[in-house]
Amino acid sequence: MLDRLPVEIVERIVAKIPDTDLIAASKVDSVWWQEVRQEAYKRWKNYATTIGHVQALGKPFEKGNIDWISFEDVNDFYKRWIDRLTEDQLYIMEKMLRNGMVVDPQERETIEHALSEQRWGGDPWGLNWEWNE
C-alpha cells in the first residue's frame, strides 16, 4: 500500500520520519528511496548550517568577555551542543553511505574521514572547539 502513495504524500511522510528511522523507509520502493535520499541530504546540510550558527553564537562568549557567567559553563554548553549536532549529522551520513545513497566520490571520502575521526575520538570537522586563551 505504501508503494502506491502519490509522491507529494511520500515527501510529507518522509519529512516527519525521525533520523533513526529515515533510512529504513527507503526500502519501500524506488520512489521512497529517492525521497529518503533527498531528505537525508537536506538534514545533512541543516546540521552543517546549524553547527555553523552555534559556533557564531559562541563568539560573544570568548574568554575575557564574560562577566555574568563562568567561562567553563558556557564552554561546556556549546561543546555539548556542537557534539550532539555532529553526532546526529554523522549518523545520517553513515546511514546514507551504507545504503548506497552517496554517489559522489568526494562526499564518500568526506564521510569516511569524518567517521574515522569520530571513532578515534577526534574532531571530525576540525572545529577544535577551544576558546581564546
Side-chain angles (χ1 to χ4, degrees), residues 24-39:
S26 70
K27 309 294 185 215
V28 175
D29 69 8
S30 61
V31 172
W32 280 74
W33 187 90
Q34 186 62 34
E35 291 304 320
V36 167
R37 183 173 184 262
Q38 288 176 352
E39 180 66 22

Side-chain angles (χ1 to χ4, degrees), residues 68-86:
W68 52 273
I69 193 167
S70 76
F71 168 74
E72 290 79 17
D73 291 341
V74 172
N75 185 41
D76 289 346
F77 172 76
Y78 280 104
K79 182 160 180 19
R80 282 192 313 269
W81 193 1
I82 284 184
D83 287 348
R84 178 56 199 234
L85 291 169
T86 299

Side-chain angles (χ1 to χ4, degrees), residues 14-127:
V14 167
K16 303 283 186 205
I17 298 173
D19 290 354
T20 53
D21 300 325
L22 183 63
I23 302 302
S26 70
K27 309 294 185 215
V28 175
D29 69 8
S30 61
V31 172
W32 280 74
W33 187 90
Q34 186 62 34
E35 291 304 320
V36 167
R37 183 173 184 262
Q38 288 176 352
E39 180 66 22
Y41 268 110
K42 183 172 25 169
R43 292 182 191 187
W44 177 359
K45 180 181 175 186
N46 286 341
Y47 281 124
T49 303
T50 304
I51 289 169
H53 289 309
V54 171
Q55 281 185 296
L57 286 173
K59 292 294 181 193
F61 302 108
E62 290 177 354
K63 192 171 185 177
N65 294 337
I66 301 172
D67 56 355
W68 52 273
I69 193 167
S70 76
F71 168 74
E72 290 79 17
D73 291 341
V74 172
N75 185 41
D76 289 346
F77 172 76
Y78 280 104
K79 182 160 180 19
R80 282 192 313 269
W81 193 1
I82 284 184
D83 287 348
R84 178 56 199 234
L85 291 169
T86 299
E87 286 174 20
D88 292 347
Q89 182 184 30
L90 288 173
Y91 178 84
I92 289 283
M93 293 165 63
E94 181 177 27
K95 293 296 182 181
M96 289 176 67
L97 182 67
R98 303 290 177 247
N99 286 278
M101 294 182 177
V102 179
V103 293
D104 184 306
Q106 188 172 4
E107 286 178 349
R108 178 179 298 280
E109 188 176 312
T110 299
I111 294 170
E112 289 169 349
H113 174 75
L115 292 171
S116 175
E117 283 289 318
Q118 182 195 38
R119 283 187 199 104
W120 291 100
D123 181 6
W125 307 129
L127 298 175

